């Protein structure tokens, strides 16, 4: 474990990375990471990010992730990144069956996830945003696994003030009294 590591330099010299799985897991003091864009471009396979940043309690900035349009797995990728406020995901993925299982679990300061709605080939959403108490709006991707019940599994008990569903699926809105109302239809 790299509990006292606070910076990483020269990642750009690596150009053939096929997996970041478990790479920075529990690097508690790490505040910022810049992933090399060249690794995303040069990889012919999908890239795994499972548990990559799990437990990086001090992480506030991650750059370069948007270049990885071949990302296949975000299971527990940011689990426990308490200080992460915003993240820019790739604008979708060429990989099939992308998993977001508990991807942002416990990210209590997370307020913004850019490009989440761009992932249309998702296999798993369970507990994706569980414990994300600062999240105020969530725009869901157009996928056959997306519905009101799926949204609740994203949050696992936490009530996000506004969840925006794709066309044809009712929006989930929580009023001040935390009642569930739907703009159209009903939860089945």
């Amino acid at each position: 474990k790299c509990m006292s590591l606070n910076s990483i330099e020269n990642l750009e010299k690596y150009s053939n990375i096929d997996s970041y799985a478990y790479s920075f897991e529990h690097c508690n003091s790490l505040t910022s990471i810049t992933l090399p864009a060249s690794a995303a471009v040069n990889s012919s396979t999908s890239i795994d990010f499972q548990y990559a940043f799990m437990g990086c309690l001090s992480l506030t900035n991650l750059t370069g992730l948007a270049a990885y349009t071949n990302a296949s797995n975000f299971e527990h990728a940011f689990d426990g990144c308490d200080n992460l406020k915003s993240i820019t995901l790739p604008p979708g993925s060429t990989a099939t069956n992308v998993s977001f299982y508990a991807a942002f679990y416990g990210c209590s300061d997370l307020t913004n996830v850019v490009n989440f709605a761009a992932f249309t080939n998702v296999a798993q959403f369970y507990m994706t945003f569980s414990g994300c108490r600062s999240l105020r709006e969530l725009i869901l991707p157009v996928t056959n696994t997306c519905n009101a019940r799926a949204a609740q599994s994203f949050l696992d008990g936490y009530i996000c003030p506004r969840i925006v569903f794709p066309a044809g699926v009712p929006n989930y809105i929580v009023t001040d009294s935390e009642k569930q109302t739907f703009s159209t239809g009903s939860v089945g």
Side-chain angles (χ1 to χ4, degrees):
K1 293 185 180 183
C2 53
M3 295 175 135
S4 60
L5 180 69
N6 57 23
S7 67
I8 296 175
E9 297 177 8
N10 298 320
L11 281 178
E12 66 277 355
K13 72 181 183 180
Y14 299 101
S15 59
N16 290 314
I17 298 171
D18 289 331
S19 177
Y20 283 99
Y22 303 92
S23 295
F24 307 102
E25 182 184 17
H26 295 293
C27 291
N28 299 345
S29 300
L30 195 58
T31 59
S32 181
I33 302 171
T34 299
L35 299 177
S38 60
V41 173
N42 292 331
S43 181
S44 60
T45 61
S46 58
I47 296 180
D48 187 354
F49 283 93
Q50 73 176 332
Y51 295 89
F53 312 100
M54 180 182 184
C56 290
L57 305 175
S58 301
L59 186 65
T60 58
N61 187 35
L62 176 64
T63 56
L65 182 61
Y68 290 83
T69 56
N70 53 349
S72 63
N73 189 352
F74 290 100
E75 288 185 17
H76 294 276
F78 305 98
D79 184 341
C81 292
D82 296 345
N83 290 304
L84 189 63
K85 291 181 183 355
S86 182
I87 187 79
T88 300
L89 296 173
S93 178
T94 56
T96 57
N97 298 320
V98 178
S99 178
F100 280 97
Y101 181 90
F104 300 99
Y105 186 92
C107 292
S108 56
D109 286 351
L110 187 67
T111 60
N112 190 30
V113 181
V114 177
N115 293 330
F116 182 66
F119 284 85
T120 57
N121 46 359
V122 177
Q124 180 63 265
F125 282 127
Y126 189 66
M127 295 187 344
T128 301
F129 296 102
S130 181
C132 296
R133 296 183 307 268
S134 299
L135 194 61
R136 294 291 169 242
E137 180 176 81
L138 180 59
I139 301 173
L140 303 180
V142 177
T143 174
N144 62 354
T145 59
C146 182
N147 58 46
R149 286 192 178 153
Q152 282 304 93
S153 74
F154 295 154
L155 305 167
D156 190 38
Y158 168 70
I159 299 176
C160 181
R162 183 162 190 258
I163 299 174
V164 179
F165 287 86
V169 178
N171 286 350
Y172 175 80
I173 301 169
V174 177
T175 63
D176 290 336
S177 61
E178 297 183 346
K179 289 185 174 181
Q180 296 178 15
T181 61
F182 294 86
S183 59
T184 60
S186 61
V187 180

